Amino acid sequence: LQEVLAQFPAGHKYHIPVLLAYHTGMRAGEFLGLEWQDVDLERKTVRVRQQMRKDPLQLNFYFETPKTDTSSREFYIDSKLIAELKRWKATQAAARMKLGEAYQFVYEDKDHVAFSLPCSEPCPKGATHKDLICTDRLGIFVKYQDLANALHKLGLNAHSFRHTHTTELAAAGAVPTDIAARLGHSDATMVNTVYAHDTDAMKRATAKIFEQRVVHGE
């Protein structure tokens, strides 16, 4: 993670997307569609209610509801991520003040297509302003394919962080059903069969538990 963040330091447009992916295990479309209204910085919660997808035919990006009913969810996040998000929110505000009318606002049109316009221009009729978290310093939203290409150069993809997040939680002893709910799955089957890879440390920990609890009766 530190090697990845060295490539995308604080202020880089991929810094916050990488942190969101690692600290939450969200799908790429989910954290790219995240708005500030979806994060409660005091309660330390994130609400997933939409995602950003690419239209394979028209090459547009659009907003849609999450993948499944269980994908719409709310969960807690850690203090380190909260601190990073607060810092980025302040950075966004400073960039807007510095750029003035050149700063870009993100909108969703009546067909749910995402687009950007300078904030000096009025909101187009039928469009809705989207206060996205994942933007560059100009206010333009981060595109999935651009992020995917940048990660590919490092031998990673956006899903790599989802796997890592799940495996780390499992290794730390998190309950599979709770992990599944955090990831937006209906049950723990996917967690057990796909995401939570059995590391050597986990195998040793299991043997130690058996020795302590069963063999020695501790």
Side-chain angles (χ1 to χ4, degrees):
L1 177 64
Q2 296 309 315
E3 291 177 2
V4 175
L5 293 178
Q7 298 294 318
F8 311 133
H12 192 286
K13 66 179 180 179
Y14 298 143
H15 185 76
I16 290 299
V18 165
L19 288 177
L20 284 170
Y22 178 80
H23 283 261
T24 70
M26 283 192 289
R27 301 176 180 91
E30 293 173 344
F31 61 73
L32 291 179
L34 206 62
E35 295 185 64
W36 283 112
Q37 65 172 299
D38 301 321
V39 178
D40 190 323
L41 296 173
E42 300 305 317
R43 291 180 57 235
K44 300 181 180 180
T45 60
V46 165
R47 177 181 54 158
V48 178
R49 61 179 178 83
Q50 67 182 10
Q51 59 182 343
M52 181 179 283
R53 300 290 299 274
K54 182 179 180 181
D55 185 333
L57 298 179
Q58 301 182 20
L59 302 181
N60 289 322
F61 290 86
Y62 63 96
F63 295 97
E64 69 172 10
T65 55
K67 187 177 179 180
T68 63
D69 290 340
T70 53
S71 294
S72 298
R73 62 200 187 278
E74 183 178 68
F75 56 89
Y76 291 96
I77 54 178
D78 60 273
S79 298
K80 181 173 177 57
L81 180 58
I82 287 290
E84 292 280 1
L85 288 172
K86 287 181 177 179
R87 189 177 298 115
W88 175 241
K89 191 172 186 179
T91 299
Q92 280 184 326
R96 180 179 174 183
M97 290 184 64
K98 181 179 179 180
L99 293 172
E101 294 184 350
Y103 191 79
Q104 302 283 310
F105 277 172
V106 181
Y107 296 98
E108 175 186 11
D109 71 13
K110 60 181 179 61
D111 296 317
H112 307 295
V113 175
F115 64 98
S116 299
L117 285 176
C119 65
S120 58
E121 298 187 21
C123 177
K125 185 177 181 180
T128 305
H129 177 228
K130 310 294 283 188
D131 192 14
L132 295 182
I133 294 176
C134 295
T135 68
D136 62 15
R137 285 181 174 269
L138 295 175
I140 300 173
F141 61 89
V142 174
K143 298 177 176 61
Y144 171 77
Q145 196 56 54
D146 293 343
L147 173 62
N149 290 338
L151 292 174
H152 181 71
K153 294 178 181 178
L154 302 177
L156 301 169
N157 58 58
H159 220 67
S160 302
F161 300 95
R162 189 168 167 86
H163 278 263
T164 300
H165 184 80
T166 308
T167 302
E168 292 288 354
L169 286 176
V175 179
T177 52
D178 289 341
I179 298 175
R182 185 178 181 86
L183 296 179
H185 289 301
S186 58
D187 57 57
T189 304
M190 183 69 74
V191 173
N192 292 327
T193 59
V194 179
Y195 293 117
H197 304 293
D198 195 10
T199 66
D200 187 64
M202 292 166 69
K203 294 175 182 177
R204 292 178 182 274
T206 300
K208 187 175 182 179
I209 290 172
F210 183 83
E211 182 178 355
Q212 292 177 334
R213 296 293 180 88
V214 181
V215 178
H216 299 299
E218 296 179 5

